[in-house]
Coordinates of all heavy atoms in Angstrom, one line a residue:
V238 N 73.0 184.4 19.7 CA 72.6 185.3 20.8 C 71.9 184.3 21.9 O 71.1 183.4 21.6 CB 71.4 186.3 20.3 CG1 71.0 187.1 21.4 CG2 72.1 187.1 19.2
Q239 N 72.2 184.5 23.1 CA 71.9 183.7 24.2 C 70.4 183.5 24.2 O 69.9 182.3 24.4 CB 72.4 184.4 25.5 CG 72.1 183.5 26.8 CD 72.5 184.4 28.0 OE1 72.3 185.6 28.0 NE2 72.9 183.7 29.0
S240 N 69.6 184.5 24.0 CA 68.1 184.4 24.2 C 67.5 183.6 23.1 O 66.2 183.3 23.1 CB 67.5 185.7 24.4 OG 67.7 186.5 23.3
D241 N 68.3 183.3 22.0 CA 67.8 182.4 20.9 C 67.6 181.0 21.4 O 67.1 180.1 20.7 CB 68.6 182.5 19.6 CG 68.1 183.7 18.8 OD1 67.0 184.1 19.0 OD2 68.9 184.1 18.0
V242 N 68.1 180.7 22.6 CA 68.0 179.4 23.1 C 67.3 179.5 24.5 O 67.9 179.3 25.6 CB 69.4 178.6 23.3 CG1 69.2 177.2 23.7 CG2 70.2 178.7 22.0
P243 N 66.0 179.8 24.5 CA 65.3 180.1 25.7 C 65.1 178.9 26.7 O 65.0 178.9 27.9 CB 63.9 180.5 25.3 CG 63.7 180.2 23.8 CD 65.2 180.0 23.4
L244 N 65.4 177.6 26.2 CA 65.5 176.4 27.0 C 66.4 176.6 28.2 O 66.4 175.9 29.2 CB 66.0 175.3 26.1 CG 65.1 174.3 25.5 CD1 65.8 173.1 24.9 CD2 64.1 173.7 26.6
L245 N 67.4 177.4 27.9 CA 68.5 177.7 28.9 C 67.9 178.1 30.3 O 68.4 177.7 31.3 CB 69.2 179.0 28.3 CG 70.5 179.4 29.0 CD1 71.5 178.2 28.9 CD2 71.0 180.6 28.2
N246 N 66.7 178.8 30.3 CA 66.1 179.2 31.5 C 65.5 178.0 32.3 O 65.5 178.1 33.5 CB 64.9 180.2 31.2 CG 65.4 181.4 30.6 OD1 66.2 182.1 31.2 ND2 65.1 181.7 29.3
E247 N 65.1 176.9 31.6 CA 64.7 175.7 32.3 C 65.8 175.1 33.1 O 65.7 174.8 34.2 CB 64.1 174.7 31.3 CG 63.4 173.6 31.9 CD 62.9 172.6 31.0 OE1 62.9 172.8 29.8 OE2 62.4 171.6 31.5
L248 N 66.9 175.0 32.4 CA 68.1 174.4 33.1 C 68.6 175.3 34.2 O 68.9 174.8 35.3 CB 69.2 174.2 32.1 CG 70.4 173.4 32.6 CD1 70.0 172.0 33.1 CD2 71.6 173.3 31.6
T249 N 68.5 176.7 34.1 CA 68.9 177.5 35.1 C 68.0 177.3 36.3 O 68.5 177.3 37.4 CB 68.7 179.0 34.6 OG1 69.5 179.2 33.5 CG2 69.1 180.0 35.6
W250 N 66.7 177.1 36.1 CA 65.9 176.9 37.3 C 66.2 175.6 38.0 O 66.3 175.6 39.2 CB 64.3 176.7 36.8 CG 63.5 176.4 38.0 CD1 63.0 175.2 38.3 CD2 63.1 177.3 39.0 NE1 62.4 175.2 39.6 CE2 62.4 176.5 40.0 CE3 63.3 178.6 39.3 CZ2 61.9 177.0 41.2 CZ3 62.8 179.2 40.5 CH2 62.1 178.3 41.4
I251 N 66.5 174.5 37.2 CA 66.9 173.3 37.9 C 68.2 173.6 38.7 O 68.3 173.1 39.8 CB 67.2 172.2 36.8 CG1 65.8 171.9 36.2 CG2 67.8 170.9 37.4 CD1 65.8 171.1 34.9
F252 N 69.1 174.3 38.1 CA 70.4 174.6 38.9 C 70.1 175.5 40.1 O 70.8 175.4 41.1 CB 71.4 175.3 37.9 CG 72.0 174.4 36.8 CD1 72.7 174.8 35.8 CD2 71.8 172.9 37.0 CE1 73.3 174.0 34.9 CE2 72.4 172.1 36.1 CZ 73.1 172.6 35.0
F253 N 69.2 176.4 40.0 CA 68.9 177.3 41.2 C 68.6 176.3 42.4 O 69.0 176.5 43.5 CB 67.6 178.1 41.0 CG 67.8 179.3 40.2 CD1 66.7 179.9 39.5 CD2 69.0 180.0 40.1 CE1 66.8 181.1 38.8 CE2 69.2 181.1 39.4 CZ 68.1 181.7 38.8
C254 N 67.8 175.3 42.1 CA 67.5 174.3 43.1 C 68.6 173.5 43.7 O 68.4 172.8 44.7 CB 66.3 173.4 42.7 SG 64.8 174.3 42.2
L255 N 69.7 173.6 43.0 CA 70.8 172.8 43.5 C 72.0 173.8 44.1 O 73.0 173.3 44.6 CB 71.6 172.0 42.3 CG 70.7 171.0 41.7 CD1 71.4 170.5 40.4 CD2 70.5 169.8 42.6
T256 N 71.7 175.0 44.1 CA 72.8 176.0 44.5 C 72.4 176.7 45.9 O 71.4 177.3 46.0 CB 72.9 177.1 43.4 OG1 73.0 176.6 42.1 CG2 74.0 178.1 43.7
P257 N 73.3 176.4 46.8 CA 73.0 177.1 48.1 C 73.2 178.7 48.0 O 74.1 179.1 47.2 CB 74.2 176.6 49.0 CG 74.8 175.4 48.3 CD 74.5 175.6 46.9
V258 N 72.3 179.4 48.6 CA 72.3 180.9 48.5 C 73.7 181.4 49.0 O 74.3 182.3 48.5 CB 71.1 181.4 49.4 CG1 71.4 183.0 49.5 CG2 69.9 181.2 48.7
S259 N 74.3 180.6 50.1 CA 75.5 181.1 50.5 C 76.7 181.1 49.5 O 77.5 181.9 49.6 CB 75.9 180.3 51.7 OG 76.0 178.9 51.3
H260 N 76.6 180.2 48.6 CA 77.7 180.2 47.5 C 77.5 181.5 46.6 O 78.6 182.1 46.3 CB 77.5 179.0 46.5 CG 77.9 177.7 47.2 ND1 78.2 176.6 46.4 CD2 78.1 177.4 48.5 CE1 78.6 175.6 47.3 NE2 78.4 176.1 48.5
L261 N 76.3 181.8 46.4 CA 76.1 183.0 45.5 C 76.5 184.4 46.3 O 77.0 185.3 45.7 CB 74.7 183.2 45.0 CG 74.3 182.0 44.0 CD1 72.9 182.1 43.6 CD2 75.3 182.0 42.8
E262 N 76.3 184.3 47.6 CA 76.6 185.5 48.4 C 78.2 185.7 48.4 O 78.6 186.8 48.6 CB 76.2 185.3 49.9 CG 74.7 185.5 50.0 CD 74.2 185.1 51.4 OE1 74.8 184.3 52.1 OE2 73.0 185.6 51.7
K263 N 79.0 184.6 48.1 CA 80.4 184.8 48.1 C 81.0 185.2 46.7 O 82.1 185.4 46.6 CB 81.0 183.5 48.4 CG 80.8 183.1 49.9 CD 81.7 181.9 50.2 CE 81.3 181.3 51.6 NZ 80.6 179.9 51.4
G264 N 80.0 185.3 45.7 CA 80.4 185.7 44.4 C 81.2 187.0 44.3 O 80.7 188.0 44.7
V265 N 82.5 186.9 43.8 CA 83.3 188.1 43.8 C 82.7 189.2 42.9 O 82.7 190.4 43.3 CB 84.8 187.9 43.4 CG1 85.6 187.4 44.6 CG2 84.9 187.0 42.2
A266 N 82.2 188.8 41.8 CA 81.7 189.8 40.8 C 80.4 190.5 41.5 O 80.3 191.7 41.4 CB 81.3 189.1 39.5
Y267 N 79.6 189.7 42.1 CA 78.4 190.3 42.8 C 78.8 191.2 43.9 O 78.4 192.3 44.0 CB 77.6 189.1 43.3 CG 76.5 189.6 44.3 CD1 75.4 190.2 44.0 CD2 76.7 189.2 45.7 CE1 74.5 190.6 44.9 CE2 75.8 189.6 46.7 CZ 74.7 190.3 46.3 OH 73.7 190.7 47.2
K268 N 79.8 190.8 44.8 CA 80.2 191.5 45.9 C 80.9 192.8 45.4 O 80.6 193.9 46.0 CB 81.2 190.7 46.8 CG 80.6 189.7 47.6 CD 81.4 189.2 48.8 CE 82.7 188.7 48.4 NZ 83.4 188.0 49.4
D269 N 81.7 192.7 44.4 CA 82.4 193.8 43.8 C 81.3 194.9 43.3 O 81.5 196.1 43.5 CB 83.3 193.3 42.7 CG 84.1 194.4 42.2 OD1 84.8 195.1 43.1 OD2 84.4 194.7 41.0
K270 N 80.4 194.4 42.5 CA 79.4 195.3 42.1 C 78.6 196.1 43.1 O 78.2 197.2 43.1 CB 78.5 194.7 41.0 CG 79.2 194.4 39.8 CD 78.4 194.0 38.6 CE 79.4 193.8 37.4 NZ 78.8 193.2 36.2
V271 N 78.3 195.3 44.2 CA 77.7 195.9 45.4 C 78.5 197.0 46.0 O 78.1 198.1 46.2 CB 77.3 194.9 46.4 CG1 76.8 195.5 47.7 CG2 76.3 193.8 45.9
V272 N 79.8 196.7 46.1 CA 80.8 197.7 46.7 C 80.8 198.9 45.7 O 80.9 200.0 46.3 CB 82.2 197.0 46.8 CG1 83.2 198.1 47.1 CG2 82.2 196.0 47.9
Q273 N 80.7 198.7 44.5 CA 80.7 199.8 43.5 C 79.4 200.7 43.6 O 79.3 201.7 42.9 CB 80.9 199.4 42.1 CG 82.0 198.5 41.7 CD 83.3 199.1 42.0 OE1 83.5 200.3 41.9 NE2 84.3 198.3 42.4
G274 N 78.5 200.2 44.4 CA 77.3 201.0 44.5 C 76.3 200.7 43.4 O 75.2 201.4 43.4
L275 N 76.5 199.6 42.7 CA 75.4 199.2 41.7 C 74.3 198.4 42.4 O 74.6 197.7 43.3 CB 76.1 198.3 40.6 CG 77.2 199.0 39.8 CD1 77.9 198.0 38.9 CD2 76.5 200.1 38.8
S276 N 73.1 198.7 41.9 CA 72.0 198.1 42.6 C 71.9 196.6 42.4 O 71.8 196.1 41.2 CB 70.6 198.8 42.1 OG 69.5 197.9 42.3
P277 N 71.9 195.7 43.4 CA 72.0 194.3 43.1 C 70.6 193.7 43.0 O 69.9 193.4 43.9 CB 72.6 193.8 44.4 CG 72.2 194.8 45.5 CD 72.0 196.1 44.8
N278 N 70.2 193.6 41.7 CA 68.9 192.9 41.4 C 69.1 191.4 41.5 O 70.2 191.0 41.5 CB 68.2 193.3 40.2 CG 69.2 193.2 39.0 OD1 69.9 192.2 38.9 ND2 69.2 194.2 38.1
C279 N 67.9 190.6 41.5 CA 68.2 189.1 41.6 C 68.9 188.6 40.5 O 69.7 187.6 40.6 CB 66.7 188.5 41.6 SG 65.8 188.8 43.0
G280 N 68.8 189.2 39.3 CA 69.5 188.7 38.1 C 71.0 188.8 38.3 O 71.8 187.9 38.0
L281 N 71.5 189.8 38.9 CA 72.9 190.0 39.2 C 73.3 189.0 40.2 O 74.4 188.3 40.0 CB 73.2 191.5 39.7 CG 74.6 191.9 39.9 CD1 75.3 191.9 38.5 CD2 74.6 193.3 40.6

Side-chain angles (χ1 to χ4, degrees):
V238 178
Q239 184 184 33
S240 61
D241 272 340
V242 188
L244 261 185
L245 193 60
N246 295 298
E247 187 180 356
L248 188 59
T249 303
W250 176 260
I251 294 167
F252 287 169
F253 280 157
C254 300
L255 296 173
T256 308
V258 170
S259 59
H260 286 200
L261 296 178
E262 281 169 343
K263 292 191 195 110
V265 277
Y267 165 73
K268 284 201 300 193
D269 191 44
K270 289 195 177 168
V271 173
V272 169
Q273 305 300 329
L275 295 168
S276 159
N278 55 41
C279 294
L281 190 63

